[in-house]
Amino acid sequence: MAGIDKYELLSDLAKRRGFFWPSFEIYGGVSGYIDLGPLGSKLKRNLEERWLKFFVHRHGFVTITSPVINPEKIFIASGHIEHFKDLIVSCRNCNRHFRADQVITEAMPGRADIATEAMTAKEIDQFVEENHIRCPECGGSLTQSEHFSTMFRTNIGPYGDLLGYGRPEAAQGIFVDFKRVYEVCRERLPIGIAQIGTVMRNEISPRQGPIRLREFTIMELEFFFDPDEPGCEFMERVGNVELPLLLGEERERGSSKIIRLLAPEAAARGYVRNEWSAYFMAVSVEFANSLGIPFEKQRFEEKLVTERSHYSTQTFDHQVWLDRWGWVEIAGHAYRTNFDLSAHIKYSGVDLSIFKPYPTPVEKKVTVVIPNETALGPLLREKTQSVVESLVSAKPEEIRKAFAESGYFEVQGFRVLPSHVRFEERHVRETGKRVVPHVVEPSFGAERIAYATLEHAYTRVSDRVVLRLPIDLAPVQMMVFPLMTKDGLAEVASDVASFLLEQDFDVEYDASGTIGRRYARADEIGVPISITVDYQSLKDGTVTLRDRDTWRQVRNEWRNIPDLMRGFLRGKLAFSELGKSVEVAYE
């Protein structure tokens, strides 16, 4: 298929067959939005279930569901209001707007040495001017770059007195709920908390179909562990999984050199900073491979310091190769340390740390904070108890440092003065200590993964399109055809289809056109097995089963199909075991 743009071919197929198409088509559409049709919706649900299997269920982790619209204070605390911004440039001629880094990337393809995401506004402007970069649409000159918030803003309530934002990630809902989930999960670490749901990002110039959307589904896992016990208990499961790493130091030299290390070795040698990150990266490789994306079409690009999100100490983007766009991120693997929990502790005043008991009690001399409630009460009124609790749980050295630097220590928007507290040295018998867990995060975009799965499944055999989706991901598992629509064949075929639907299979019935055309339609939407009812079926109750990938056919009684197909879809049975081989009767 050299020289053919798979994206164009796949987009045409997706519209015709019901995988996806632009949203709001009858009104001219809006870039950055797509609708999933009947087949696309099923494929996405199957992908979500596959992701849950790989990252959640097999580890005994849990899931939650939290709101899409969050109060502003959540994102002030998390740092998103301050940091979730992109640089934008506009055309002076056609007035269109573009992400500054993308304008440069598109104007200078193949330049791996240009780290556009790391550039400041001044560096972007200088680079655009020196390289004479123009508007990609009309060739007009570009304005100077400026920051643009990519978060959707809204008002909560009828009078708009509470400002809110559409969440750009599902993670904050997990962090805010951490204490509650930790308690209901019997207060144990490590713990994985996952969420699948809608997120919103007000992208500046999305022009990549399903690859860059303003509203999409995120599949996110926040894995919480004790930083004093960072070892991964599951590492042996991925001991033979190789990680193809494009390290930051290579990128800084303008190199695209990949080093390939087994997951345990990548962690042991410090390329991946902790074992849990390396483990989930290996699971990510296996997950993508299970979708039909070959190992050689995957890599992990380490983000530079200036490219990383504000909450991350180390981030690897899991990228796959796509025909039109080259290396495209399908997942981010971030080591968030305790940034988010610490930020919410500070901003909310609620202690989200966990208690870790010592094997034996320890005698220690400690400094404690004694709030002056007599002085604080008249000033704080109903907030007194909350502020006092925050002061008691705060670190004395941090309070003293704040007093020395600014003369006050801020708690929940209130300035605590030196006269409001005193410090006391005490001998205590500690039975444990409080720990703020560290977090590693694998985060996946469902629509991108769905598109990547479709592209890698798209093949041509002779003059036919065959969508070779993994058989257990296919949105339609079987299609049932009558060889002819007369002599009672259609009625029997309809009964077979109804029987299989009652057995919880995804089945479609098709009686239009020649049998060859129906096989071609089934191949084009990735149906693993096509079932044909013919005249022999009327005699002995057998039907032909046709394999999508080999076009081979076998014969068996149609009432045996449910048990056979369950084994086939789970990979327990080969196609040849579904019945007695026959010469290709219909094609």
Coordinates of all heavy atoms in Angstrom, one line a residue, residues 481-482 485 509-515 517-518 521:
F481 N -25.8 -15.3 6.9 CA -26.3 -15.1 5.5 C -27.2 -16.3 5.1 O -26.7 -17.4 5.3 CB -25.2 -14.9 4.5 CG -24.1 -14.0 4.9 CD1 -22.8 -14.4 4.7 CD2 -24.4 -12.7 5.4 CE1 -21.8 -13.5 5.1 CE2 -23.4 -11.8 5.7 CZ -22.0 -12.2 5.6
P482 N -28.3 -16.0 4.4 CA -28.9 -17.1 3.7 C -28.2 -17.1 2.3 O -28.0 -16.1 1.7 CB -30.4 -16.7 3.5 CG -30.3 -15.2 3.6 CD -29.1 -14.8 4.5
T485 N -32.5 -16.0 -0.9 CA -33.6 -15.5 -0.1 C -34.9 -16.2 -0.4 O -36.0 -15.7 -0.1 CB -33.8 -14.0 -0.3 OG1 -34.0 -13.8 -1.7 CG2 -32.6 -13.3 0.2
Y509 N -27.5 -10.0 10.7 CA -28.1 -10.8 9.6 C -28.1 -9.9 8.3 O -28.4 -8.7 8.4 CB -29.5 -11.1 10.0 CG -30.3 -11.7 8.9 CD1 -30.3 -13.1 8.6 CD2 -31.2 -11.0 8.1 CE1 -31.0 -13.7 7.6 CE2 -31.9 -11.6 7.1 CZ -31.8 -12.9 6.8 OH -32.6 -13.5 5.8
D510 N -27.7 -10.5 7.2 CA -27.5 -9.8 6.0 C -28.0 -10.7 4.8 O -27.5 -11.8 4.6 CB -26.1 -9.4 5.7 CG -25.9 -8.4 4.5 OD1 -27.0 -8.1 3.9 OD2 -24.8 -8.0 4.2
A511 N -29.0 -10.2 4.1 CA -29.5 -11.0 3.0 C -29.5 -10.2 1.7 O -30.1 -10.7 0.7 CB -31.0 -11.4 3.3
S512 N -28.8 -9.1 1.6 CA -28.8 -8.2 0.4 C -27.6 -8.5 -0.4 O -26.5 -8.6 0.1 CB -28.9 -6.8 0.8 OG -27.8 -6.4 1.6
G513 N -27.8 -8.6 -1.7 CA -26.7 -8.7 -2.7 C -26.3 -10.2 -2.8 O -26.8 -11.1 -2.1
T514 N -25.3 -10.4 -3.6 CA -24.7 -11.8 -3.8 C -24.0 -12.2 -2.5 O -23.5 -11.4 -1.7 CB -23.8 -11.8 -5.0 OG1 -22.6 -11.0 -4.7 CG2 -24.5 -11.3 -6.3
I515 N -23.7 -13.5 -2.4 CA -23.0 -14.0 -1.2 C -21.6 -13.4 -1.2 O -21.0 -13.1 -0.2 CB -23.0 -15.5 -1.2 CG1 -22.5 -16.0 0.2 CG2 -22.2 -16.1 -2.4 CD1 -23.5 -15.8 1.3
R517 N -20.6 -10.5 -2.3 CA -20.7 -9.1 -1.8 C -20.8 -9.0 -0.3 O -20.3 -8.2 0.4 CB -21.8 -8.3 -2.5 CG -21.5 -8.0 -4.0 CD -22.6 -7.1 -4.5 NE -22.3 -6.7 -5.9 CZ -21.6 -5.7 -6.2 NH1 -21.1 -4.9 -5.3 NH2 -21.4 -5.4 -7.5
R518 N -21.6 -10.0 0.2 CA -21.8 -10.0 1.7 C -20.6 -10.4 2.4 O -20.2 -9.9 3.4 CB -23.0 -11.0 2.0 CG -24.4 -10.4 1.7 CD -25.5 -11.3 2.0 NE -25.9 -12.1 0.8 CZ -26.6 -13.2 0.8 NH1 -27.0 -13.7 1.9 NH2 -26.9 -13.8 -0.3
R521 N -18.4 -7.3 2.5 CA -18.8 -6.4 3.5 C -18.4 -6.8 4.9 O -17.9 -6.0 5.7 CB -20.4 -6.2 3.5 CG -20.9 -5.3 2.4 CD -22.3 -4.8 2.6 NE -23.3 -5.9 2.6 CZ -23.9 -6.3 1.5 NH1 -23.7 -5.6 0.3 NH2 -24.8 -7.2 1.5

